[in-house]
Every structure is written in structure tokens, then in C-alpha cells.
Amino acid sequence: MLLKNFFMNLSQNKLLNEMAQKYGYKLGAQTVVAGENVDEMTQSIKELNAAGISATIDNLGEFVDRKEDAIDAKNQILQVVEAIHEHKLDAHISLKPTQLGLDIDYDFCLQNLEEIVEQAYQYNIFVNVDMEDHLHLQPSFDLVDQLLQTYDNVGTVIQAYFYRAEEDVRTYKDERLRLVKGAYKESESVAYQDKGDIDRHFIELIEYHLLHGKFTSIATHDHHVINHVKAFVEEHHISKDKFEFQMLYGFRNDLQHKLANEGYHFCTYVPFGHDWYGYFMRRLAERPQNINLVAKQVFNKKTNTVIAVGTLAFLLGRLSKRRKK
Ligand SMILES: Cc1cc2nc3c(=O)[nH]c(=O)nc-3n(C[C@H](O)[C@H](O)[C@H](O)COP(=O)(O)OP(=O)(O)OC[C@H]3O[C@@H](n4cnc5c(N)ncnc54)[C@H](O)[C@@H]3O)c2cc1C
């Protein structure tokens, strides 16, 4: 829990985010980030597609507070839509409302989103609106509701740690949904804190949507959940075309390929770009062993987790202090 809080706090540090954008990629972020630009990302996706794996592409960035940055982000995502179309990639878009200006102005964000969804709609490309922290939850559902009035190529995410998740899954059961445990630090007033409670709720939501919903993306690295789903769909004769498994780029690669080879639809969440810091810190908060992914790059595969975590914390701490002076 201490380490989880430590990394969650780091994930919100703006200075460290800026430093990471400058130097992080060279330090090893490429293990979990599929390139710095659209060309590199496209190449990574072609490799996944060749292995029978589809992709959902995330142009990294979140919590934007300047209109210019939100417009830049929108333009980059439009380029991704073009790249999917041009290269005939088996891929769709994942995006975050705060990257497109939700913290600046709701209508401005909606307008940005609409532009992307409209262009994707022309090419028959699906757009997933990722869910962020509780503060942005209801406004994000409002955005999704407004988009769904015009478009059918939009879906969203339900985070199982929220008490309200069950109601949300029922509300959106006719949509394509990604179900996850939930990645942000939330208070007890709105979300389960205990891992056992979250896991149980997650399974309940998955079972409900598999039985009653449209298409379910089960996004988890948890083999217990995956094995449960495999047995559940078998028992209830649920077609493999009704669901897919999703994992993050660079995580549990062997299992990703194994599931695809077993004939399950598999989709990898592919982040790319410079703004990888908040994303990666949340991965460390979930599972501090994930530091190994970067440690392998930085420390030539020999350093153990403890040394790697310590070193990273030390470096980040020093950067943070430098700014305060
Ligand atoms: C494709 C995708 C999209 C997501 N989108 C969102 C989103 O929009 N909003 C949001 O809030 N969150 C999102 N998340 C994050 C999600 O909410 C969880 O925080 C994250 O997936 C960690 O939970 P988990 O289910 O993977 O398993 P955990 O609870 O982290 O792990 C459970 C168990 O699985 C095993 N395990 C996990 N990882 C590994 C590993 N790397 N190697 C070996 N064993 C492992 C271990 O035994 C571990 O104890 C997304 C996750 C994925 C995969």
C-alpha cells in the first residue's frame, strides 16, 4: 500500500512528468511505449497484427490545461485515425477526455471529441473513451451519452472499483464496453479499497455483460480472472466473437500471444508518444514489479527489483527537490 501511494503521488507530479518527457524514452520507456511518433507506432502495430493481435491506440497525454495542447492532441489523434485507415491496421482508438480539454471547458472537449469520432466513423473505426479518475467520471459519461446520440462507433470503460459500476454496466449494456478493475487512487466514499472486493465485483460485472451485453473487452493481466472467463464462456456457450481479452503493450507478452493462439480475440492497448510518465507511474502503483520492465533496459537485465525501485525513487526525488529550490 505504501508503494502504491508513493507511485500514485509521483504520477501526479508535473515537474517529473516534464523531465520524463525529455529523458524518459531513452531511459527505457520503449518497453511499454510503442514508439515516439505515428510511424514507429504503426510499425509496432503491424507486428502485432501479423501475430493475430489487434490494437487500441492511445496517443499518450492527460490532464491538459491549455487549449493549444488539447488541440495538438486532437490533431495527433486525427493523424492516428488516418494511419489506421491508410495502413489498413487492425486497430481502433482509445482516448482520454482530459487530454482533449475536459478540465478546460466541457463543450470545447466535446467538440474535439466529435471531430475525432466523426472522422473515425467515416472509416468505420471504433473509438473508446477511456475512463479516468472519479472527478471526471460523470462528465465523461455525459460526453459518451452525447456522442452516442449521433454515432455508433463509440464505447467506454467501466471501472469495477466504483460502487456505481454495476448500475453503469446495466445502463450501457447495449454498447461495446471495456471492463477494468480501475487504476486511480479513489476514496472509500466512492470505491472499494480491498483487492478481494474489487476482484469479486470485477468478475460479477464481466459475467453480467458477457450474458447481457453487446461486446465485452476484458482488460486485465490477471490470469485468475482470465481463467475464470474461459471457463464461464465455455459453460454458458458464449461465442468467442462476443468478447476479447485486452492487455497493455509490453506486459505479459507470452500470455498475450498464447491467448491469441488459442483462438481468443486479443487486443493490445498500445500507448505511444512522449507523455508516458503518468501512465507508467500508474503501472508501478498497480504492481511495483513492473519496474523490471524499465530496469531491464536501464540496468542491463541484472538489477533486481529492489535496487531498481530504489534507484528510480532516488532519481525522481532529486529531480523533485531541484525544482523546489
Ligand atoms: C487494456 C487495458 C485498458 C485499461 N484502461 C483503463 C481505463 O480506461 N481506466 C482505468 O481506470 N484503468 C484502466 N486500465 C487499468 C486497470 O484498471 C488496472 O488498473 C490494471 O489493469 C491492473 O489490474 P489487473 O486487472 O491487470 O490485475 P492486478 O490486480 O494488477 O493483478 C492481479 C494479479 O495478476 C497477476 N499479474 C498482473 N500483472 C502481471 C504481470 N505484469 N506479470 C505477471 N503477473 C501479473 C499477478 O498475479 C497479480 O497479483 C486498463 C488496463 C488494461 C489492461
Side-chain angles (χ1 to χ4, degrees), residues 209-224:
H209 203 253
L210 282 170
L211 290 175
H212 306 283
K214 191 177 175 186
F215 183 84
T216 318
S217 298
I218 299 143
T220 182
H221 310 104
D222 189 337
H223 48 279
H224 304 104

Side-chain angles (χ1 to χ4, degrees), residues 10-56:
L10 285 182
S11 77
Q12 286 149 9
N13 186 305
K14 283 206 166 196
L15 167 71
L16 295 179
N17 192 358
E18 282 162 24
M19 299 297 285
Q21 282 182 41
K22 270 195 192 149
Y23 306 113
Y25 203 76
K26 291 183 186 62
L27 277 176
Q30 70 265 34
T31 322
V32 291
V33 175
E36 289 191 278
N37 54 46
V38 174
D39 288 344
E40 288 173 11
M41 174 275 293
T42 299
Q43 189 48 42
S44 303
I45 295 202
K46 283 183 178 170
E47 285 162 23
L48 286 171
N49 286 175
I53 292 176
S54 69
T56 181

